[in-house]
């Protein structure tokens, strides 16, 4: 898995960097040796590349092994994509290596950052900035000096090298902020919103709220089954419409309506539970039923497994009464040609 990721990462970066090849001194095929002073960027593809002299610019290598010998120098950046990469000389810029094995030898130095994606990697020289290594095995030799931080992924073998900054595994990094506080705030917002929506619903349509509570209490299985059918039917309709370009806007509109309807259904379900609980007391208040239902389900929702099951049942009850109510409204409208005004 790690080697596959490394190869894919190298391929993507290699394609992105291909336009820069045309502007450099490009050498293709066989063994390439830079033994003098090269005043332009050097780009090589295929075979092995050995630098024993000086490259006064950048070095880009695609394919084969790369060796920067002791005493050799690349004043710019080094980007190597290929087999094994050995840096025993000096790199004035960043060094990025993608290969089977990547080694920064004891005599090697990278003035800026050092990055490697490889099966195994070794840092025995000096890195003037941060070192970022993704490898199956990373060895930090005793002679290694990393003046910045070391970020790695894989097995770390620390032989006593010096890292001035922080050494950290990518797996230990928090890539997203802590979500628990966000969930808590969202929960409070939804709790208050449920109370407000419930109050609005019983105020606007008190008789329907009473009918909803009575229906859910007297015919719970039929009501929940209707809610399940409505939820599944709406979901299937959205999926079927979304697969066509013409139907996609309708699918999005239906999805929006469905989400709002789901919220209304959930609140009606809570109201039905609250009204059922108050039926065993001397209190008879629709608003109190909203509060009791919302508070009760919120508290019961914290129970492992049971809480999820209760939320699902209450939602299906609410979806059932909303679906039955919508069907009743449709029947009344269809019987009266004058529409809602004559009902």
């Amino acid at each position: 898995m790690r080697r596959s990721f490394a190869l894919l990462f190298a391929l993507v970066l290699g394609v992105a960097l291909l336009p820069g090849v045309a502007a450099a001194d490009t050498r293709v095929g066989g063994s390439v040796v830079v033994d003098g002073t090269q005043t332009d960027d050097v780009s090589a593809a295929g075979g092995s590349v050995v630098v024993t002299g000086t490259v006064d610019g950048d070095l880009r290598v695609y394919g084969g092994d790369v060796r920067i010998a002791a005493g050799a120098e690349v004043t710019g950046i080094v980007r190597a994509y290929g087999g094994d990469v050995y840096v025993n000389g000096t790199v004035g810029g960043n060094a990025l290596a993608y290969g089977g094995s990547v080694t920064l030898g004891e005599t090697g130095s990278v003035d800026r950052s050092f990055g490697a994606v490889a099966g195994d990697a070794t840092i025995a020289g000096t890195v003037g900035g941060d070192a970022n290594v993704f490898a199956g095995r990373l060895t930090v030799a005793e002679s290694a000096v990393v003046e910045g931080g070391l970020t790695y992924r894989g097995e770390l073998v620390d032989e006593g090298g010096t890292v001035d900054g922080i050494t950290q595994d990518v797996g230990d990094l928090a890539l997203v902020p802590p979500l628990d506080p966000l969930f808590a705030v969202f929960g409070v917002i939804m709790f208050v919103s449920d109370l407000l929506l419930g109050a609005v619903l019983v105020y606007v349509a008190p008789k329907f709220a009473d009918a909803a509570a009575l229906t859910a209490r007297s015919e719970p299985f039929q009501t929940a089954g209707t809610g399940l059918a409505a939820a599944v039917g709406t979901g299937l309709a959205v999926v079927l419409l979304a697969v066509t370009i013409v139907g996609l806007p309708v699918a999005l509109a239906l999805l929006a309506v469905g989400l709002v309807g789901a919220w209304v259904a959930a609140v009606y379900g809570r109201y039905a539970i609250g009204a059922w609980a108050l039926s065993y007391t001397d209190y008879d208040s629709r608003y109190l039923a909203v509060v009791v239902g919302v508070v009760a389900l919120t508290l019961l929702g914290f129970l492992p497994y049971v809480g999820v099951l209760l939320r699902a049942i209450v939602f299906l009850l609410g979806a059932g009464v909303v679906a039955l109510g919508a069907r009743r409204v449709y029947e009344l409208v269809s019987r009266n040609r004058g529409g809602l005004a004559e009902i």
Side-chain angles (χ1 to χ4, degrees):
M1 178 66 181
R2 289 174 177 171
R3 288 184 178 270
S4 298
F5 176 84
L7 291 174
L8 178 61
F9 197 42
L11 177 62
V12 172
L13 286 179
V15 172
L17 293 170
L18 282 177
V21 173
D25 177 9
T26 304
R27 309 182 187 187
V28 180
S31 297
V32 178
V33 178
V34 180
D35 55 2
T37 299
Q38 174 67 44
T39 58
D40 294 326
D41 296 344
V42 174
S43 178
S48 62
V49 176
V50 178
V51 179
T52 59
T54 299
V55 176
D56 190 7
D58 299 338
L59 173 64
R60 296 181 178 89
V61 180
Y62 305 89
D65 296 342
V66 179
R67 297 178 181 273
I68 301 178
E73 180 181 8
V74 178
T75 61
I77 65 174
V78 172
R79 287 178 178 150
Y81 311 86
D84 297 335
V85 179
Y86 302 91
V87 179
N88 293 306
T90 301
V91 178
N94 300 322
L96 304 174
Y98 304 84
S101 178
V102 176
T103 301
L104 176 62
E106 290 188 23
T107 60
S109 66
V110 178
D111 289 351
R112 300 179 66 182
S113 65
F114 173 78
V117 178
D120 62 85
T122 300
I123 300 178
T126 301
V127 179
D130 296 330
N132 302 280
V133 180
F134 187 104
R137 179 186 177 93
L138 168 62
T139 301
V140 180
E142 183 178 1
S143 58
V145 176
V146 179
E147 297 179 2
L150 172 62
T151 302
Y152 69 95
R153 184 60 175 171
E155 179 187 358
L156 175 63
V157 179
D158 189 352
E159 298 180 349
T162 300
V163 179
D164 293 340
I166 299 174
T167 300
Q168 53 189 354
D169 189 336
V170 173
D172 298 332
L173 297 177
L175 300 180
V176 296
L179 297 179
D180 289 344
L182 297 179
F183 287 145
V185 172
F186 179 75
V188 172
I189 293 175
M190 288 305 302
F191 176 80
V192 175
S193 299
D194 288 346
L195 291 176
L196 294 176
L197 179 60
V200 171
L201 292 176
V202 298
Y203 176 79
V204 173
K207 293 183 178 180
F208 180 80
D210 294 341
L214 178 61
T215 301
R217 185 167 64 250
S218 60
E219 300 177 342
F221 296 106
Q222 180 181 351
T223 305
T226 302
L228 178 61
V232 173
T234 302
L236 288 176
V238 170
V239 172
L240 293 176
L241 288 171
V243 297
T244 63
I245 297 178
V246 176
L248 183 58
V250 180
L252 294 176
L254 181 59
L255 178 61
V257 173
L259 292 176
V260 174
W263 183 26
V264 172
V267 172
Y268 267 125
R270 286 160 171 75
Y271 171 76
I273 295 300
W276 169 76
L278 289 182
S279 67
Y280 293 95
T281 69
D282 296 331
Y283 297 99
D284 184 16
S285 170
R286 298 186 182 94
Y287 298 103
L288 183 59
V290 171
V291 174
V292 171
V294 172
V295 172
L297 199 65
T298 299
L299 295 177
L300 293 174
F302 289 110
L303 296 176
Y305 306 110
V306 177
V308 176
L309 179 61
L310 289 175
R311 286 178 179 271
I313 293 174
V314 171
F315 169 75
L316 292 179
L317 288 173
V321 298
V322 170
L324 292 172
R327 187 182 68 178
R328 180 58 178 165
V329 170
Y330 173 78
E331 291 175 351
L332 291 175
V333 172
S334 62
R335 293 174 185 173
N336 296 269
R337 296 184 178 182
L340 293 174
E342 295 186 4
I343 296 177

